[in-house]
Protein backbone atom coordinates (compact mmCIF):
# COMPACT_ATOMS: atom_id res chain seq x y z
CA UNK A 1 0.00 0.00 0.00
CA UNK A 2 1.27 3.46 -0.91
CA UNK A 3 1.70 5.76 2.10
CA UNK A 4 2.97 8.62 -0.08
CA UNK A 5 2.01 9.31 -3.69
CA UNK A 6 3.60 12.06 -5.77
CA UNK A 7 1.80 12.75 -9.05
CA UNK A 8 3.10 14.95 -11.87
CA UNK A 9 4.88 17.18 -9.34
CA UNK A 10 6.62 20.29 -10.67
CA UNK A 11 8.36 23.31 -9.18
CA UNK A 12 9.50 26.22 -11.28
CA UNK A 13 12.05 28.80 -10.12
CA UNK A 14 12.24 31.78 -12.48
CA UNK A 15 11.72 29.68 -15.58
CA UNK A 16 13.91 26.78 -14.40
CA UNK A 17 12.13 23.49 -13.73
CA UNK A 18 13.83 22.22 -10.57
CA UNK A 19 11.28 19.39 -10.47
CA UNK A 20 9.49 18.51 -13.69
CA UNK A 21 6.37 16.28 -13.81
CA UNK A 22 7.77 13.82 -11.27
CA UNK A 23 5.68 10.84 -10.14
CA UNK A 24 6.58 8.10 -7.65
CA UNK A 25 5.28 6.28 -4.56
CA UNK A 26 6.63 5.29 -1.15
CA UNK A 27 5.04 2.06 0.06
CA UNK A 28 4.16 1.57 3.72
CA UNK A 29 6.96 0.04 5.79
CA UNK A 30 9.59 0.16 3.06
CA UNK A 31 12.68 2.28 2.39
CA UNK A 32 12.52 4.23 -0.87
CA UNK A 33 15.70 5.90 -2.10
CA UNK A 34 16.02 8.95 -4.34
CA UNK A 35 19.32 9.22 -6.20
CA UNK A 36 20.81 11.52 -8.80
CA UNK A 37 23.62 14.06 -9.16
CA UNK A 38 23.77 17.44 -7.46
CA UNK A 39 21.13 19.65 -9.02
CA UNK A 40 18.84 16.78 -9.98
CA UNK A 41 16.09 18.20 -7.75
CA UNK A 42 16.16 15.66 -4.93
CA UNK A 43 16.11 18.07 -1.99
CA UNK A 44 13.55 20.24 -3.80
CA UNK A 45 11.29 17.18 -3.78
CA UNK A 46 11.74 16.90 0.00
CA UNK A 47 10.98 20.61 0.36
CA UNK A 48 7.78 20.19 -1.64
CA UNK A 49 6.65 17.17 0.37
CA UNK A 50 7.29 18.94 3.68
CA UNK A 51 5.69 22.25 2.69
CA UNK A 52 8.85 24.37 2.51
CA UNK A 53 7.95 25.06 -1.14
CA UNK A 54 4.55 24.99 -2.80
CA UNK A 55 4.35 23.05 -6.06
CA UNK A 56 3.89 24.88 -9.33
CA UNK A 57 1.62 21.99 -10.23
CA UNK A 58 1.02 18.38 -9.30
CA UNK A 59 -0.33 16.58 -6.25
CA UNK A 60 1.06 15.07 -3.05
CA UNK A 61 -1.07 12.50 -1.24
CA UNK A 62 -0.01 11.22 2.17
CA UNK A 63 -1.92 8.58 4.11
CA UNK A 64 -4.90 9.06 1.74
CA UNK A 65 -4.93 12.83 2.38
CA UNK A 66 -4.15 15.52 -0.15
CA UNK A 67 -1.25 17.45 1.44
CA UNK A 68 -0.33 19.57 -1.57
CA UNK A 69 0.81 23.04 -0.48
CA UNK A 70 0.10 22.63 3.24
CA UNK A 71 2.24 24.56 5.75
CA UNK A 72 5.26 22.73 7.24
CA UNK A 73 3.75 22.67 10.76
CA UNK A 74 0.59 21.03 9.45
CA UNK A 75 2.65 18.55 7.43
CA UNK A 76 4.47 17.49 10.61
CA UNK A 77 1.15 16.95 12.38
CA UNK A 78 -0.05 14.68 9.57
CA UNK A 79 2.92 12.38 10.29
CA UNK A 80 5.87 13.47 8.13
CA UNK A 81 9.23 14.36 9.65
CA UNK A 82 12.63 15.03 8.10
CA UNK A 83 16.34 15.70 8.48
CA UNK A 84 18.38 18.17 6.41
CA UNK A 85 21.57 18.12 4.33
CA UNK A 86 23.04 20.72 6.69
CA UNK A 87 22.50 19.67 10.30
CA UNK A 88 19.97 21.90 12.06
CA UNK A 89 20.26 21.10 15.74
CA UNK A 90 19.77 23.38 18.73
CA UNK A 91 23.52 23.36 19.21
CA UNK A 92 23.58 25.13 22.59
CA UNK A 93 20.98 22.75 24.05
CA UNK A 94 21.62 19.25 25.33
CA UNK A 95 20.87 16.14 23.32
CA UNK A 96 17.95 15.43 25.65
CA UNK A 97 16.54 18.93 25.15
CA UNK A 98 16.82 18.58 21.37
CA UNK A 99 14.75 15.41 21.40
CA UNK A 100 12.33 16.69 24.05
CA UNK A 101 11.30 19.68 21.93
CA UNK A 102 9.21 17.82 19.31
CA UNK A 103 7.81 15.47 21.97
CA UNK A 104 6.52 18.32 24.12
CA UNK A 105 5.03 19.96 21.04
CA UNK A 106 2.89 16.84 20.63
CA UNK A 107 1.75 16.73 24.26
CA UNK A 108 -1.40 18.42 25.48
CA UNK A 109 -0.69 20.73 28.37
CA UNK A 110 -2.37 24.04 29.16
CA UNK A 111 -0.28 27.17 29.66
CA UNK A 112 -1.71 27.65 33.16
CA UNK A 113 -0.81 24.14 34.34
CA UNK A 114 2.67 24.48 32.91
CA UNK A 115 3.25 27.82 34.65
CA UNK A 116 2.10 26.65 38.08
CA UNK A 117 3.56 23.15 37.66
CA UNK A 118 0.32 21.29 38.27
CA UNK A 119 0.30 17.50 38.47
CA UNK A 120 -0.76 17.08 34.85
CA UNK A 121 2.16 19.19 33.63
CA UNK A 122 4.64 17.28 35.80
CA UNK A 123 3.28 13.96 34.53
CA UNK A 124 3.56 15.07 30.91
CA UNK A 125 7.11 16.27 31.49
CA UNK A 126 8.08 12.96 33.12
CA UNK A 127 6.53 10.92 30.31
CA UNK A 128 8.18 13.14 27.69
CA UNK A 129 11.62 12.63 29.25
CA UNK A 130 11.11 8.86 29.33
CA UNK A 131 10.10 8.90 25.66
CA UNK A 132 13.07 11.10 24.75
CA UNK A 133 15.49 8.78 26.52
CA UNK A 134 13.97 5.82 24.69
CA UNK A 135 14.59 7.52 21.34
CA UNK A 136 18.15 8.47 22.32
CA UNK A 137 18.79 4.89 23.43
CA UNK A 138 17.55 3.54 20.09
CA UNK A 139 20.06 5.80 18.34
CA UNK A 140 22.90 4.80 20.67
CA UNK A 141 22.98 8.25 22.28
CA UNK A 142 21.67 7.62 25.79
CA UNK A 143 25.12 8.26 27.31
CA UNK A 144 25.20 11.65 25.57
CA UNK A 145 21.81 12.83 26.88
CA UNK A 146 23.19 15.70 28.98
CA UNK A 147 25.93 16.68 26.55
CA UNK A 148 25.57 19.95 24.62
CA UNK A 149 24.66 19.02 21.05
CA UNK A 150 27.23 21.31 19.44
CA UNK A 151 30.08 19.49 21.18
CA UNK A 152 29.24 16.11 19.65
CA UNK A 153 31.39 14.65 16.87
CA UNK A 154 29.88 15.15 13.44
CA UNK A 155 28.65 11.56 13.09
CA UNK A 156 26.81 11.71 16.41
CA UNK A 157 25.23 15.04 15.45
CA UNK A 158 23.82 13.29 12.38
CA UNK A 159 22.37 10.59 14.62
CA UNK A 160 20.93 13.18 16.98
CA UNK A 161 19.16 14.93 14.12
CA UNK A 162 17.58 11.62 13.12
CA UNK A 163 16.58 11.08 16.77
CA UNK A 164 14.89 14.48 16.87
CA UNK A 165 13.00 13.71 13.67
CA UNK A 166 11.83 10.37 15.11
CA UNK A 167 10.69 12.17 18.28
CA UNK A 168 8.02 13.93 16.20
CA UNK A 169 6.39 10.46 15.96
CA UNK A 170 6.17 10.33 12.16
CA UNK A 171 4.72 7.66 9.91
CA UNK A 172 7.03 8.82 7.12
CA UNK A 173 10.64 9.79 7.85
CA UNK A 174 12.57 11.75 5.21
CA UNK A 175 16.35 11.44 5.50
CA UNK A 176 18.32 13.93 3.41
CA UNK A 177 21.84 12.52 2.93
CA UNK A 178 22.14 10.97 6.41
CA UNK A 179 25.61 9.58 5.64
CA UNK A 180 27.03 12.93 4.50
CA UNK A 181 30.36 13.58 6.21
CA UNK A 182 30.53 10.11 7.75
CA UNK A 183 33.52 7.82 7.35
CA UNK A 184 33.08 4.34 5.76
CA UNK A 185 32.73 2.61 9.13
CA UNK A 186 30.06 5.08 10.28
CA UNK A 187 28.22 4.71 6.96
CA UNK A 188 28.19 0.93 7.29
CA UNK A 189 26.78 1.11 10.81
CA UNK A 190 24.13 3.56 9.59
CA UNK A 191 22.68 0.83 7.33
CA UNK A 192 22.01 -1.37 10.37
CA UNK A 193 20.73 1.60 12.38
CA UNK A 194 18.19 2.65 9.74
CA UNK A 195 16.93 -0.92 9.49
CA UNK A 196 16.61 -1.08 13.27
CA UNK A 197 14.72 2.19 13.70
CA UNK A 198 12.41 1.32 10.82
CA UNK A 199 11.32 -1.80 12.71
CA UNK A 200 11.32 -0.30 16.18
CA UNK A 201 9.31 2.82 15.31
CA UNK A 202 7.22 1.29 12.50
CA UNK A 203 8.50 3.81 9.96
CA UNK A 204 8.26 4.24 6.23
CA UNK A 205 11.46 5.93 5.03
CA UNK A 206 12.23 8.13 2.05
CA UNK A 207 15.98 8.56 1.64
CA UNK A 208 18.23 10.85 -0.41
CA UNK A 209 21.81 9.61 -0.51
CA UNK A 210 24.97 9.72 -2.65
CA UNK A 211 26.64 6.74 -0.94
CA UNK A 212 25.61 3.97 -3.32
CA UNK A 213 26.66 1.18 -0.93
CA UNK A 214 24.15 2.50 1.60
CA UNK A 215 21.42 2.98 -1.02
CA UNK A 216 21.80 -0.49 -2.50
CA UNK A 217 21.95 -2.19 0.91
CA UNK A 218 19.06 -0.41 2.63
CA UNK A 219 16.53 0.54 -0.06
CA UNK A 220 13.65 -1.64 -1.19
CA UNK A 221 12.87 0.66 -4.12
CA UNK A 222 14.90 3.41 -5.82
CA UNK A 223 13.80 6.51 -7.74
CA UNK A 224 16.45 7.88 -10.10
CA UNK A 225 16.24 11.57 -11.03
CA UNK A 226 17.93 13.56 -13.77
CA UNK A 227 17.45 17.32 -14.26
CA UNK A 228 14.27 17.34 -12.19
CA UNK A 229 12.67 14.45 -14.05
CA UNK A 230 12.22 10.75 -13.42
CA UNK A 231 14.89 8.74 -15.23
CA UNK A 232 14.09 5.30 -13.82
CA UNK A 233 12.55 3.60 -10.82
CA UNK A 234 12.74 0.03 -9.61
CA UNK A 235 14.37 -2.39 -7.19
CA UNK A 236 18.12 -2.04 -6.46
CA UNK A 237 19.05 -4.90 -8.80
CA UNK A 238 17.02 -3.31 -11.59
CA UNK A 239 18.73 0.04 -11.02
CA UNK A 240 22.15 -1.65 -11.12
CA UNK A 241 21.38 -3.19 -14.50
CA UNK A 242 19.66 -0.24 -16.14
CA UNK A 243 21.90 1.18 -18.87
CA UNK A 244 20.64 4.76 -18.51
CA UNK A 245 21.41 4.75 -14.80
CA UNK A 246 24.81 3.14 -15.30
CA UNK A 247 25.72 5.68 -17.92
CA UNK A 248 24.40 8.72 -16.06
CA UNK A 249 25.33 8.02 -12.42
CA UNK A 250 26.96 4.77 -11.43
CA UNK A 251 29.48 4.37 -14.22
CA UNK A 252 30.27 1.08 -15.91
CA UNK A 253 33.09 0.28 -13.50
CA UNK A 254 30.75 0.72 -10.53
CA UNK A 255 28.21 -1.51 -12.22
CA UNK A 256 30.80 -4.28 -12.75
CA UNK A 257 31.86 -4.00 -9.13
CA UNK A 258 28.26 -4.31 -7.91
CA UNK A 259 27.54 -7.22 -10.20
Amino acid sequence: MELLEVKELSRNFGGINAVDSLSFEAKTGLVTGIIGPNGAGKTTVFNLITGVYKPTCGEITFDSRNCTGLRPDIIVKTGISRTFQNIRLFKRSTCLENVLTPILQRKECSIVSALVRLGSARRIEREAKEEAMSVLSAMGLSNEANRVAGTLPYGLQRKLEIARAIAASPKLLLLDEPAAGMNPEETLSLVDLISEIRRKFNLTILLIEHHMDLVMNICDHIVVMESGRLLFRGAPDEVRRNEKVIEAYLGKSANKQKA
Side-chain angles (χ1 to χ4, degrees):
M1 179 180 175
E2 290 78 16
L3 181 63
L4 175 76
E5 293 183 80
V6 172
K7 297 180 181 178
E8 297 295 318
L9 192 66
S10 296
R11 172 66 194 202
N12 183 285
F13 293 99
I16 298 174
N17 290 324
V19 176
D20 190 2
S21 301
L22 181 69
S23 297
F24 70 91
E25 306 84 30
K27 293 185 181 296
T28 302
L30 300 184
V31 179
T32 300
I34 302 179
I35 67 171
N38 291 331
K42 304 181 299 296
T43 295
T44 301
V45 172
F46 269 26
N47 287 335
L48 290 167
I49 293 170
T50 57
V52 176
Y53 299 147
K54 291 187 177 182
T56 303
C57 61
E59 183 174 293
I60 301 166
T61 303
F62 173 69
D63 203 15
S64 302
R65 175 182 178 180
N66 189 334
C67 293
T68 313
L70 294 181
R71 297 196 317 262
D73 60 309
I74 297 176
I75 293 291
V76 170
K77 290 177 182 177
T78 67
I80 300 177
S81 186
R82 70 173 293 181
T83 64
F84 295 85
Q85 279 185 18
N86 299 316
I87 298 173
R88 299 186 185 183
L89 295 171
F90 305 125
K91 298 215 172 164
R92 295 184 180 180
S93 300
T94 66
C95 296
L96 179 61
E97 289 166 343
N98 268 271
V99 176
L100 266 175
T101 299
I103 294 174
L104 290 172
Q105 287 174 340
R106 292 191 281 107
K107 302 290 184 180
E108 293 182 2
C109 180
S110 72
I111 295 175
V112 173
S113 62
L115 288 174
V116 299
R117 300 282 291 174
L118 295 180
S120 59
R122 290 195 296 271
R123 175 180 54 79
I124 289 171
E125 183 179 7
R126 182 179 65 254
E127 291 173 352
K129 285 184 178 179
E130 290 174 356
E131 184 177 344
M133 287 303 301
S134 177
V135 173
L136 287 171
S137 178
M139 296 298 298
L141 294 171
S142 55
N143 291 336
E144 312 292 344
N146 296 315
R147 185 169 174 178
V148 175
T151 67
L152 290 174
Y154 185 85
L156 293 186
Q157 289 191 33
R158 279 281 176 197
K159 287 186 176 182
L160 179 58
E161 189 179 36
I162 295 172
R164 190 176 62 181
I166 291 171
S169 192
K171 294 179 181 178
L172 176 66
L173 177 63
L174 278 58
L175 300 176
D176 195 346
E177 298 192 30
M182 289 187 173
N183 61 43
E185 184 178 345
E186 289 171 329
T187 300
L188 186 62
S189 68
L190 186 62
V191 172
D192 294 332
L193 182 61
I194 291 173
S195 296
E196 183 180 341
I197 63 173
R198 174 174 64 164
R199 292 190 299 269
K200 183 177 180 63
F201 296 100
N202 194 27
L203 293 169
T204 300
I205 296 175
L206 188 60
L207 169 80
I208 293 173
E209 188 52 68
H210 287 289
H211 286 73
M212 296 311 299
D213 285 342
L214 187 150
V215 171
M216 294 298 176
N217 282 310
I218 196 65
C219 293
D220 302 290
H221 189 82
I222 299 173
V223 175
V224 186
M225 292 184 65
E226 181 180 33
S227 301
R229 299 183 65 87
L230 177 69
L231 178 66
F232 183 78
R233 59 180 176 176
D237 285 343
E238 294 174 317
V239 171
R240 281 193 188 100
R241 295 193 300 265
N242 185 270
E243 291 298 327
K244 290 182 179 179
V245 177
I246 294 168
E247 201 173 314
Y249 305 117
L250 301 181
K252 292 185 178 180
S253 61
N255 181 59
K256 289 177 182 178
Q257 183 180 354
K258 291 295 180 182

PDB file of all heavy atoms in Angstrom, residues 27 34 36 47 58 96 110-111 115 121 162-163 170 190 200 204 219 225 237 247:
ATOM      1  N   LYS A  27       5.951   3.049  -0.502  1.00  0.00           N
ATOM      2  CA  LYS A  27       5.044   2.057   0.065  1.00  0.00           C
ATOM      3  C   LYS A  27       5.249   1.923   1.572  1.00  0.00           C
ATOM      4  O   LYS A  27       6.367   2.027   2.078  1.00  0.00           O
ATOM      5  CB  LYS A  27       5.254   0.708  -0.617  1.00  0.00           C
ATOM      6  CG  LYS A  27       4.830   0.692  -2.084  1.00  0.00           C
ATOM      7  CD  LYS A  27       4.950  -0.692  -2.675  1.00  0.00           C
ATOM      8  CE  LYS A  27       4.539  -0.693  -4.142  1.00  0.00           C
ATOM      9  NZ  LYS A  27       3.116  -0.336  -4.317  1.00  0.00           N
ATOM     10  N   ILE A  34      15.987   8.030  -3.207  1.00  0.00           N
ATOM     11  CA  ILE A  34      16.017   8.948  -4.344  1.00  0.00           C
ATOM     12  C   ILE A  34      17.478   9.263  -4.627  1.00  0.00           C
ATOM     13  O   ILE A  34      18.191   9.765  -3.754  1.00  0.00           O
ATOM     14  CB  ILE A  34      15.246  10.245  -4.070  1.00  0.00           C
ATOM     15  CG1 ILE A  34      13.788   9.945  -3.707  1.00  0.00           C
ATOM     16  CG2 ILE A  34      15.296  11.176  -5.282  1.00  0.00           C
ATOM     17  CD1 ILE A  34      12.968  11.196  -3.396  1.00  0.00           C
ATOM     18  N   GLY A  36      20.566  10.642  -7.667  1.00  0.00           N
ATOM     19  CA  GLY A  36      20.814  11.517  -8.802  1.00  0.00           C
ATOM     20  C   GLY A  36      21.925  12.482  -8.447  1.00  0.00           C
ATOM     21  O   GLY A  36      22.262  12.643  -7.270  1.00  0.00           O
ATOM     22  N   ASN A  47      11.543  19.323  -0.048  1.00  0.00           N
ATOM     23  CA  ASN A  47      10.977  20.610   0.362  1.00  0.00           C
ATOM     24  C   ASN A  47       9.523  20.769  -0.078  1.00  0.00           C
ATOM     25  O   ASN A  47       8.726  21.420   0.604  1.00  0.00           O
ATOM     26  CB  ASN A  47      11.817  21.760  -0.193  1.00  0.00           C
ATOM     27  CG  ASN A  47      13.147  21.911   0.522  1.00  0.00           C
ATOM     28  OD1 ASN A  47      13.292  21.506   1.677  1.00  0.00           O
ATOM     29  ND2 ASN A  47      14.130  22.484  -0.145  1.00  0.00           N
ATOM     30  N   GLY A  58       0.882  19.748  -9.778  1.00  0.00           N
ATOM     31  CA  GLY A  58       1.020  18.379  -9.296  1.00  0.00           C
ATOM     32  C   GLY A  58       0.324  18.177  -7.965  1.00  0.00           C
ATOM     33  O   GLY A  58      -0.272  19.097  -7.401  1.00  0.00           O
ATOM     34  N   LEU A  96      19.279  15.700  25.101  1.00  0.00           N
ATOM     35  CA  LEU A  96      17.951  15.434  25.647  1.00  0.00           C
ATOM     36  C   LEU A  96      16.984  16.555  25.307  1.00  0.00           C
ATOM     37  O   LEU A  96      15.845  16.297  24.894  1.00  0.00           O
ATOM     38  CB  LEU A  96      18.037  15.245  27.163  1.00  0.00           C
ATOM     39  CG  LEU A  96      16.709  14.980  27.889  1.00  0.00           C
ATOM     40  CD1 LEU A  96      16.063  13.706  27.369  1.00  0.00           C
ATOM     41  CD2 LEU A  96      16.940  14.891  29.399  1.00  0.00           C
ATOM     42  N   SER A 110      -1.946  22.639  29.182  1.00  0.00           N
ATOM     43  CA  SER A 110      -2.368  24.042  29.162  1.00  0.00           C
ATOM     44  C   SER A 110      -1.254  24.947  29.665  1.00  0.00           C
ATOM     45  O   SER A 110      -0.378  24.533  30.421  1.00  0.00           O
ATOM     46  CB  SER A 110      -3.609  24.240  30.026  1.00  0.00           C
ATOM     47  OG  SER A 110      -3.267  24.131  31.398  1.00  0.00           O
ATOM     48  N   ILE A 111      -1.280  26.198  29.239  1.00  0.00           N
ATOM     49  CA  ILE A 111      -0.279  27.174  29.665  1.00  0.00           C
ATOM     50  C   ILE A 111      -0.331  27.367  31.172  1.00  0.00           C
ATOM     51  O   ILE A 111       0.694  27.445  31.855  1.00  0.00           O
ATOM     52  CB  ILE A 111      -0.500  28.517  28.939  1.00  0.00           C
ATOM     53  CG1 ILE A 111      -0.266  28.335  27.436  1.00  0.00           C
ATOM     54  CG2 ILE A 111       0.418  29.600  29.495  1.00  0.00           C
ATOM     55  CD1 ILE A 111      -0.565  29.579  26.612  1.00  0.00           C
ATOM     56  N   LEU A 115       2.678  26.712  33.870  1.00  0.00           N
ATOM     57  CA  LEU A 115       3.245  27.815  34.646  1.00  0.00           C
ATOM     58  C   LEU A 115       3.249  27.514  36.139  1.00  0.00           C
ATOM     59  O   LEU A 115       4.201  27.850  36.850  1.00  0.00           O
ATOM     60  CB  LEU A 115       2.471  29.109  34.371  1.00  0.00           C
ATOM     61  CG  LEU A 115       2.689  29.753  32.997  1.00  0.00           C
ATOM     62  CD1 LEU A 115       1.748  30.940  32.819  1.00  0.00           C
ATOM     63  CD2 LEU A 115       4.136  30.217  32.843  1.00  0.00           C
ATOM     64  N   ALA A 121       0.968  18.704  34.331  1.00  0.00           N
ATOM     65  CA  ALA A 121       2.160  19.186  33.630  1.00  0.00           C
ATOM     66  C   ALA A 121       3.387  18.390  34.032  1.00  0.00           C
ATOM     67  O   ALA A 121       4.227  18.051  33.192  1.00  0.00           O
ATOM     68  CB  ALA A 121       2.366  20.673  33.915  1.00  0.00           C
ATOM     69  N   ILE A 162      18.542  12.684  13.436  1.00  0.00           N
ATOM     70  CA  ILE A 162      17.581  11.619  13.123  1.00  0.00           C
ATOM     71  C   ILE A 162      16.712  11.330  14.351  1.00  0.00           C
ATOM     72  O   ILE A 162      15.489  11.153  14.232  1.00  0.00           O
ATOM     73  CB  ILE A 162      18.303  10.340  12.662  1.00  0.00           C
ATOM     74  CG1 ILE A 162      19.044  10.591  11.340  1.00  0.00           C
ATOM     75  CG2 ILE A 162      17.307   9.191  12.489  1.00  0.00           C
ATOM     76  CD1 ILE A 162      19.935   9.441  10.893  1.00  0.00           C
ATOM     77  N   ALA A 163      17.328  11.314  15.531  1.00  0.00           N
ATOM     78  CA  ALA A 163      16.579  11.085  16.770  1.00  0.00           C
ATOM     79  C   ALA A 163      15.517  12.149  16.966  1.00  0.00           C
ATOM     80  O   ALA A 163      14.378  11.846  17.354  1.00  0.00           O
ATOM     81  CB  ALA A 163      17.539  11.058  17.967  1.00  0.00           C
ATOM     82  N   PRO A 170       6.670  10.359  13.531  1.00  0.00           N
ATOM     83  CA  PRO A 170       6.171  10.334  12.159  1.00  0.00           C
ATOM     84  C   PRO A 170       5.770   8.929  11.705  1.00  0.00           C
ATOM     85  O   PRO A 170       6.200   7.923  12.267  1.00  0.00           O
ATOM     86  CB  PRO A 170       7.391  10.805  11.360  1.00  0.00           C
ATOM     87  CG  PRO A 170       8.551  10.273  12.138  1.00  0.00           C
ATOM     88  CD  PRO A 170       8.143  10.369  13.590  1.00  0.00           C
ATOM     89  N   LEU A 190      25.385   2.848   9.813  1.00  0.00           N
ATOM     90  CA  LEU A 190      24.132   3.563   9.588  1.00  0.00           C
ATOM     91  C   LEU A 190      23.111   2.675   8.883  1.00  0.00           C
ATOM     92  O   LEU A 190      21.910   2.796   9.124  1.00  0.00           O
ATOM     93  CB  LEU A 190      24.391   4.832   8.774  1.00  0.00           C
ATOM     94  CG  LEU A 190      23.209   5.777   8.573  1.00  0.00           C
ATOM     95  CD1 LEU A 190      22.716   6.314   9.913  1.00  0.00           C
ATOM     96  CD2 LEU A 190      23.598   6.940   7.658  1.00  0.00           C
ATOM     97  N   LYS A 200      11.669  -0.695  14.821  1.00  0.00           N
ATOM     98  CA  LYS A 200      11.319  -0.304  16.185  1.00  0.00           C
ATOM     99  C   LYS A 200      10.213   0.749  16.219  1.00  0.00           C
ATOM    100  O   LYS A 200       9.312   0.694  17.050  1.00  0.00           O
ATOM    101  CB  LYS A 200      12.563   0.230  16.915  1.00  0.00           C
ATOM    102  CG  LYS A 200      12.317   0.600  18.374  1.00  0.00           C
ATOM    103  CD  LYS A 200      13.591   1.044  19.044  1.00  0.00           C
ATOM    104  CE  LYS A 200      13.359   1.427  20.497  1.00  0.00           C
ATOM    105  NZ  LYS A 200      12.893   0.309  21.326  1.00  0.00           N
ATOM    106  N   THR A 204       8.005   4.267   7.668  1.00  0.00           N
ATOM    107  CA  THR A 204       8.262   4.241   6.231  1.00  0.00           C
ATOM    108  C   THR A 204       9.319   5.310   5.987  1.00  0.00           C
ATOM    109  O   THR A 204       9.236   6.405   6.555  1.00  0.00           O
ATOM    110  CB  THR A 204       6.989   4.557   5.436  1.00  0.00           C
ATOM    111  OG1 THR A 204       5.993   3.578   5.747  1.00  0.00           O
ATOM    112  CG2 THR A 204       7.255   4.567   3.942  1.00  0.00           C
ATOM    113  N   CYS A 219      17.761   0.164   0.632  1.00  0.00           N
ATOM    114  CA  CYS A 219      16.528   0.544  -0.055  1.00  0.00           C
ATOM    115  C   CYS A 219      15.805  -0.656  -0.667  1.00  0.00           C
ATOM    116  O   CYS A 219      16.420  -1.552  -1.241  1.00  0.00           O
ATOM    117  CB  CYS A 219      16.807   1.573  -1.149  1.00  0.00           C
ATOM    118  SG  CYS A 219      17.344   3.176  -0.510  1.00  0.00           S
ATOM    119  N   MET A 225      16.599  10.294 -10.436  1.00  0.00           N
ATOM    120  CA  MET A 225      16.235  11.570 -11.032  1.00  0.00           C
ATOM    121  C   MET A 225      17.362  12.119 -11.900  1.00  0.00           C
ATOM    122  O   MET A 225      18.545  11.891 -11.625  1.00  0.00           O
ATOM    123  CB  MET A 225      15.906  12.593  -9.941  1.00  0.00           C
ATOM    124  CG  MET A 225      14.641  12.310  -9.162  1.00  0.00           C
ATOM    125  SD  MET A 225      14.269  13.645  -7.970  1.00  0.00           S
ATOM    126  CE  MET A 225      13.939  15.019  -9.104  1.00  0.00           C
ATOM    127  N   ASP A 237      18.446  -4.093  -7.737  1.00  0.00           N
ATOM    128  CA  ASP A 237      19.050  -4.896  -8.804  1.00  0.00           C
ATOM    129  C   ASP A 237      18.679  -4.367 -10.185  1.00  0.00           C
ATOM    130  O   ASP A 237      19.489  -4.408 -11.116  1.00  0.00           O
ATOM    131  CB  ASP A 237      18.623  -6.363  -8.683  1.00  0.00           C
ATOM    132  CG  ASP A 237      19.344  -7.082  -7.545  1.00  0.00           C
ATOM    133  OD1 ASP A 237      20.372  -6.550  -7.080  1.00  0.00           O
ATOM    134  OD2 ASP A 237      18.867  -8.152  -7.119  1.00  0.00           O
ATOM    135  N   GLU A 247      25.046   4.665 -17.124  1.00  0.00           N
ATOM    136  CA  GLU A 247      25.720   5.683 -17.922  1.00  0.00           C
ATOM    137  C   GLU A 247      25.710   7.043 -17.239  1.00  0.00           C
ATOM    138  O   GLU A 247      26.701   7.774 -17.234  1.00  0.00           O
ATOM    139  CB  GLU A 247      25.019   5.789 -19.285  1.00  0.00           C
ATOM    140  CG  GLU A 247      25.880   6.414 -20.369  1.00  0.00           C
ATOM    141  CD  GLU A 247      25.200   6.344 -21.722  1.00  0.00           C
ATOM    142  OE1 GLU A 247      24.684   5.270 -22.070  1.00  0.00           O
ATOM    143  OE2 GLU A 247      25.170   7.376 -22.388  1.00  0.00           O
TER     144      GLU A 247
END
